[in-house]
Amino acid sequence: MRVFVTGASGWIGSAVVPELIAAGHQVVGLARSDAAAEAVGAAGAEVRRGTLADLDVLRSAADASDGVIHLAFQHDLAFSGHFEAAAEANRLAVEAFGEVLAGSDRPLSLASGTLGLAPGRVAVEGDGLGPNAPGAGGGLGIRHETARATIALASRGVRSSVVGLAPTIHGEGDQGFMATLVAIARDKGVAGYIGDGSQRWPATHRLDAARLFRLALEKAPAGSALHGVAEEGVPLRTVAEAIGRHLGVPVASVDPQDAAEHFTWLAGFLSADSPASSVHTRELLGWHPTHPGLVEDLDKGHYFA
């Protein structure tokens, strides 16, 4: 297939591109900067310059492709206090893809998330994606609507799928949640967890996530809800213990009332108990994660170099 990949130079995209090429696919990667273009080209993909705001570029690239993997999200905009604007840009991009893929039975796979989908229980594929799913406000609500709209494209002749990713996609080079937790522990001199630390976080190695996107592209049925979850839920106290062990700092509970001061913007995420299952995904696509789990990956030491 000729596959158009947004976010091709990003944390997950930079693993998806070689995964696709190794499987014999031709990849066209969206690049918004010279650095991104250089990285995409070095990985063996064709470069398409543009951003998520360039809807004509997105339509043209999708129309010239046999399928689309949409990984990009304007995180810089979101984390600068404009999450709703970033979510809206993402919605418009999916809408643009749907316009040109409709009636073609070509695949469109959207990266989404599992965090907070089913408070109080293990989230399963399809949670939050049904027509009667509870609504949310602001940018999060827009992201949920975008995922539901992607699933609904199946009725318009698009082989659509939504891959709900674990909040922690880990591996060497990660600059996300785990790297931030390590930085906070190093700065504070303590590896903290909130309350009793029983909050469970799903986790997936990025190379396993990359393989799932390839499988979704190749064989996910239209309207598939998938979970990119290798570990259903790693207790955050266990994560803190691994961080403390490697940094040589004490491990301690942080009172929920003090969490925002200690963990800053990460506090809300760390407070959530959000286990998620991928049983259906594994059965449907034959996806079997083979790379190290989160604690094993932490024990490799690269987060602390």
Side-chain angles (χ1 to χ4, degrees):
M1 291 184 186
R2 178 179 171 88
V3 187
F4 179 50
V5 179
T6 71
S9 64
W11 173 235
I12 299 173
S14 59
V16 169
V17 169
E19 172 74 25
L20 292 172
I21 291 173
H25 299 293
Q26 178 186 0
V27 178
V28 180
L30 184 69
R32 65 175 182 170
S33 67
D34 291 342
E38 183 177 351
V40 170
E46 180 183 328
V47 176
R48 187 65 182 263
R49 293 299 296 261
T51 72
L52 290 188
D54 298 321
L55 297 182
D56 286 340
V57 171
L58 301 186
R59 292 187 188 95
S60 174
D63 194 37
S65 300
D66 300 310
V68 176
I69 295 179
H70 180 36
L71 306 172
F73 189 78
Q74 294 176 316
H75 291 98
D76 51 350
L77 184 63
F79 289 139
S80 67
H82 302 283
F83 186 85
E84 189 166 339
E88 177 63 13
N90 190 55
R91 184 191 69 79
L92 292 174
V94 168
E95 188 176 276
F97 292 139
E99 289 173 13
V100 297
L101 296 177
S104 69
D105 291 322
R106 285 178 286 173
L108 166 63
S109 187
L110 169 72
S112 186
T114 64
L115 191 64
L117 282 180
R121 63 173 175 83
V122 177
V124 297
E125 292 89 341
D127 278 334
L129 294 177
N132 298 318
L140 186 59
I142 295 172
R143 289 209 77 178
H144 289 172
E145 290 170 10
T146 301
R148 288 192 287 269
T150 302
I151 293 292
L153 286 172
S155 66
R156 296 174 54 196
V158 179
R159 187 160 60 80
S160 60
S161 62
V162 172
V163 179
L165 292 169
T168 293
I169 304 296
H170 56 89
E172 189 165 1
D174 175 20
Q175 297 298 314
F177 286 139
M178 284 302 110
T180 303
L181 265 182
V182 171
I184 291 172
R186 183 178 280 119
D187 178 61
K188 301 284 188 180
V190 59
Y193 55 86
I194 298 175
D196 63 3
S198 63
Q199 301 92 339
R200 293 162 292 174
W201 264 35
T204 307
H205 195 283
R206 80 171 181 135
L207 296 180
D208 286 318
R211 181 168 181 268
L212 178 55
F213 276 104
R214 175 176 64 79
L215 293 173
L217 175 87
E218 293 174 344
K219 59 181 182 178
S224 292
L226 309 169
H227 275 180
V229 173
E231 294 178 281
E232 185 174 285
V234 182
L236 287 175
R237 178 171 181 165
T238 302
V239 173
E241 289 169 348
I243 293 173
R245 185 167 63 250
H246 283 275
L247 291 181
V249 300
V251 180
S253 171
V254 174
D255 190 286
Q257 292 184 343
D258 300 324
E261 179 181 355
H262 186 94
F263 295 106
T264 65
W265 63 270
L266 198 52
F269 296 104
L270 295 176
S271 299
D273 180 42
S274 298
S277 168
S278 60
V279 171
H280 171 70
T281 300
R282 297 177 193 228
E283 293 176 348
L284 180 68
L285 299 182
W287 179 62
H288 302 292
T290 59
H291 292 278
L294 177 56
V295 172
E296 183 183 352
D297 204 14
L298 287 168
D299 284 341
K300 288 181 177 295
H302 52 80
Y303 277 96
F304 311 97

